[in-house]
Amino acid sequence: WSFSINDKLGLNQHHDIEFMPNGNVLCLITDNQTSIDMRNLGKDTLSVPGEIKLDKIIELQPIGMDSAIVVWEWRFMDHFIQDFDSTKINFGVIADHPELLDINYDTPYGTDYTHCNAIDYNSSLDQILISSAKFNEIFIIPHHLSTQETATTSGDLLWRYGNPQTYGRGTIEDRKLFFQHDCQWIDDTE
């Protein structure tokens, strides 16, 4: 099987993929958002004008020797909180919601906001592990949900580690990860 996501689906796959036991493939995809989209979610876009790069995860099901369809998707876009604009539905206290990302967390990387660089899958738990170098964190997200459910609170982060400052529960001294790459589940047999 040979398949170019970028050419055949018009998606920008980057960094990492993960083959699943069912033969499907999890892929990290750039999910570009306009500053208007981000402002509608409560982002202070004055400091970051223009298009903003987020990430999403898709699951591809191979078909034949050179085709595939997207059978599942999870997007960071659906899991933000902010304390900047009280008129937005996702307004809240950042520290009370570690299951969400602060849309206004100030990364030093400008418009390349979440920048994930690794993905791994745990079939026993049906969970996905991803690494966000820009947040200096690793996240676990659920996979057992439908694509529609992943966009709800059911699809929020299950666990995160590395930089509690990103969700208002620590300082720079509490940070454990620094631009990490290649997160992996530890096999039970090891």
Side-chain angles (χ1 to χ4, degrees), residues 101-121:
L101 290 178
D102 178 1
I103 199 168
N104 290 304
Y105 176 70
D106 187 21
T107 72
Y109 304 102
T111 60
D112 191 6
Y113 198 61
T114 52
H115 192 85
C116 291
N117 57 35
I119 187 168
D120 200 18
Y121 177 68

Side-chain angles (χ1 to χ4, degrees), residues 43-107:
K43 177 140 182 80
D44 177 3
T45 55
L46 293 177
S47 61
V48 187
E51 197 170 71
I52 296 171
K53 290 181 183 179
L54 300 177
D55 288 284
K56 67 180 178 180
I57 298 166
I58 64 168
E59 180 180 344
L60 284 180
Q61 178 183 23
I63 298 174
M65 297 301 292
D66 63 355
S67 190
I69 58 171
V70 176
V71 295
W72 184 86
E73 178 178 291
W74 182 95
R75 305 177 328 148
F76 275 106
M77 183 73 173
D78 299 321
H79 305 283
F80 283 120
I81 189 167
Q82 52 84 27
D83 58 6
F84 175 73
D85 185 344
S86 63
T87 67
K88 306 299 182 203
I89 196 167
N90 64 340
F91 181 79
V93 178
I94 307 293
D96 290 349
H97 294 280
E99 74 279 8
L100 300 170
L101 290 178
D102 178 1
I103 199 168
N104 290 304
Y105 176 70
D106 187 21
T107 72

Side-chain angles (χ1 to χ4, degrees), residues 70-176:
V70 176
V71 295
W72 184 86
E73 178 178 291
W74 182 95
R75 305 177 328 148
F76 275 106
M77 183 73 173
D78 299 321
H79 305 283
F80 283 120
I81 189 167
Q82 52 84 27
D83 58 6
F84 175 73
D85 185 344
S86 63
T87 67
K88 306 299 182 203
I89 196 167
N90 64 340
F91 181 79
V93 178
I94 307 293
D96 290 349
H97 294 280
E99 74 279 8
L100 300 170
L101 290 178
D102 178 1
I103 199 168
N104 290 304
Y105 176 70
D106 187 21
T107 72
Y109 304 102
T111 60
D112 191 6
Y113 198 61
T114 52
H115 192 85
C116 291
N117 57 35
I119 187 168
D120 200 18
Y121 177 68
N122 184 313
S123 60
S124 298
L125 299 173
D126 201 14
Q127 295 175 349
I128 298 168
L129 179 67
I130 50 179
S131 168
S132 172
K134 303 299 175 86
F135 273 73
N136 300 291
E137 289 189 279
I138 55 176
F139 308 117
I140 295 175
I141 61 169
H143 177 262
H144 68 280
L145 305 169
S146 69
T147 295
Q148 292 75 24
E149 290 172 317
T150 66
T152 70
T153 56
S154 297
D156 289 345
L157 302 176
L158 298 174
W159 181 85
R160 67 195 301 175
Y161 176 80
N163 190 5
Q165 186 176 16
T166 64
Y167 50 98
R169 291 194 178 181
T171 66
I172 190 69
E173 289 79 27
D174 299 309
R175 190 165 143 195
K176 304 295 183 204

